[in-house]
């Protein structure tokens, strides 16, 4: 067993028996040049490592496989889940992972293998195919807390909608919808890649991995089903919010219309008796009282009419 850090290169390696795991965070052309010199990798694969726009895929070669994965990482500033690329080269006696360093389960697993002999034995003993399974399985499982957090946010928005209508809620709904769409965009192409891993990785493992990969596919399918449910929930909440806001607006407009309708005849009466011409009660000392009674009678009659029509 050996644990070492390559000099002048942004890479670390852990070895156990005849298997070596090389981990490269934030790869540059310097690291890809090293790989080109020491491994039989195709130049296009090394170019894909430095690209940030590769779709998840499996490229098969005689002596190795090249795999590209995307896993979700939540961006707290933008409040959206974004894809983080993981590139993997796997051969009979090596596994090379290249990523940006923000995939915490992967980083944690590598550190465990560095410092713990039992962890190295557990993850390395069945070959590079089993080690790849352990890495991908941890990353798939890390999607579940992100999914659960989304559900918690949806429930908070749902409670907020029915307890108090605020303008900021539409922004929260839109943010959640964008987050769910982004998560779905990450998971969708990954289903095909992970579903086809077992027959391709089989030659790099000393044991039958079909059950393990089947379990991992089940986890990914459950995440996808949950995202489908969340999509329907957030769309339903958006429709509910729109309906409640429309109902509230209609209630306000109806109230303002009733007030305006009531004030219209009273304004007309006050305007007529304010004219500089001879009118009944105008010279009476009780003119204000008479006019007030007339206005109050009109208001009362209109309110009674509105109540009869159930407009109030």
């Amino acid at each position: 067993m050996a644990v070492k850090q390559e000099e002048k290169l942004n890479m670390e390696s852990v070895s156990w028996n005849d298997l070596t795991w090389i981990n490269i965070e934030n790869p540059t052309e310097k690291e890809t040049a090293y790989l080109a010199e020491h491994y039989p990798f195709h130049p296009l694969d090394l170019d894909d490592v430095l690209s940030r726009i590769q779709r998840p895929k499996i490229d098969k070669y005689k002596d190795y496989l090249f795999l590209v994965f995307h896993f979700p990482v939540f961006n707290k500033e933008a409040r959206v889940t974004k894809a983080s690329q993981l590139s993997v080269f796997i051969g009979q006696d090596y596994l090379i992972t290249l990523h940006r360093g923000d995939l915490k389960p992967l980083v944690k697993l590598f550190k465990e293998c560095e410092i713990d002999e039992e962890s190295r034995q557990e993850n390395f003993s069945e070959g590079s195919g089993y080690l790849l399974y352990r890495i991908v399985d941890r990353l798939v499982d890390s999607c579940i807390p992100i999914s659960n957090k989304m559900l918690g946010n949806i429930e908070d928005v749902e409670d907020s909608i029915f307890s108090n209508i605020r303008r900021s809620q539409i922004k929260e709904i839109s943010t959640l919808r964008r987050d769910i769409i982004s998560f779905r965009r990450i998971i969708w192409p990954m289903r095909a890649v992970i579903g086809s891993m077992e027959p391709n990785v089989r030659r790099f493992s000393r044991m039958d991995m079909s059950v393990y990969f089947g379990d991992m596919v089940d986890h990914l399918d459950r995440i996808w089903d949950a995202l489908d449910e969340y999509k329907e929930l957030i769309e339903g909440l958006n429709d509910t919010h729109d309906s409640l806001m429309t109902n509230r607006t209609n209630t306000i407009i109806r109230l303002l219309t009733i007030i305006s309708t009531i004030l219209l005849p009273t304004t007309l009466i006050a305007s007529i008796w304010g004219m500089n011409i001879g009118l009944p009660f105008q010279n009476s000392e009780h003119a204000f009282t008479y006019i007030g009674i007339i206005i109050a009678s009109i208001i009362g009659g209109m309110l009674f009419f509105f109540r009869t029509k159930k407009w109030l």
Side-chain angles (χ1 to χ4, degrees), residues 265-284:
T266 60
T267 302
L268 177 62
I269 292 173
S271 299
I272 292 175
W273 256 266
M275 298 172 63
N276 192 20
I277 57 176
L279 293 170
F281 315 123
Q282 194 174 49
N283 296 321
S284 172

Side-chain angles (χ1 to χ4, degrees), residues 136-265:
V136 177
D137 185 56
R138 281 206 179 191
L139 291 169
V140 169
D141 288 345
S142 71
C143 298
I144 296 176
I146 300 176
S147 174
N148 293 338
K149 180 65 175 177
M150 279 186 178
L151 178 60
N153 292 336
I154 291 173
E155 291 175 347
D156 291 342
V157 170
E158 181 179 10
D159 294 340
S160 178
I161 286 176
F162 289 103
S163 62
N164 182 26
I165 299 296
R166 304 190 311 271
R167 290 185 178 181
S168 61
Q169 287 169 347
I170 191 62
K171 182 178 179 180
E172 295 173 5
I173 292 174
S174 300
T175 299
L176 279 173
R177 175 186 284 176
R178 181 183 63 170
D179 196 18
I180 293 170
I181 291 173
S182 177
F183 204 159
R184 284 167 55 87
R185 191 181 295 122
I186 295 168
I187 295 298
W188 173 251
M190 286 282 293
R191 299 175 71 198
V193 173
I194 292 180
S196 62
M197 279 181 63
E198 193 275 331
N200 291 297
V201 177
R202 184 181 302 160
R203 56 180 166 143
F204 301 117
S205 177
R206 302 186 182 97
M207 61 184 294
D208 183 5
M209 298 290 297
S210 57
V211 176
Y212 294 92
F213 281 103
D215 181 67
M216 185 166 60
V217 170
D218 288 342
H219 290 179
L220 198 63
D221 287 342
R222 285 202 296 269
I223 293 170
W224 178 256
D225 292 341
L227 290 175
D228 264 349
E229 180 184 351
Y230 300 164
K231 181 175 180 289
E232 293 179 3
L233 283 174
I234 200 65
E235 289 177 351
L237 287 178
N238 185 66
D239 293 340
T240 301
H241 180 271
D242 289 345
S243 298
L244 292 173
M245 287 296 293
T246 300
N247 182 68
R248 183 186 182 193
T249 301
N250 290 339
T251 301
I252 294 173
I253 292 176
R254 181 177 62 180
L255 179 60
L256 293 177
T257 301
I258 290 174
I259 293 174
S260 300
T261 303
I262 291 174
L263 290 178
L264 181 61

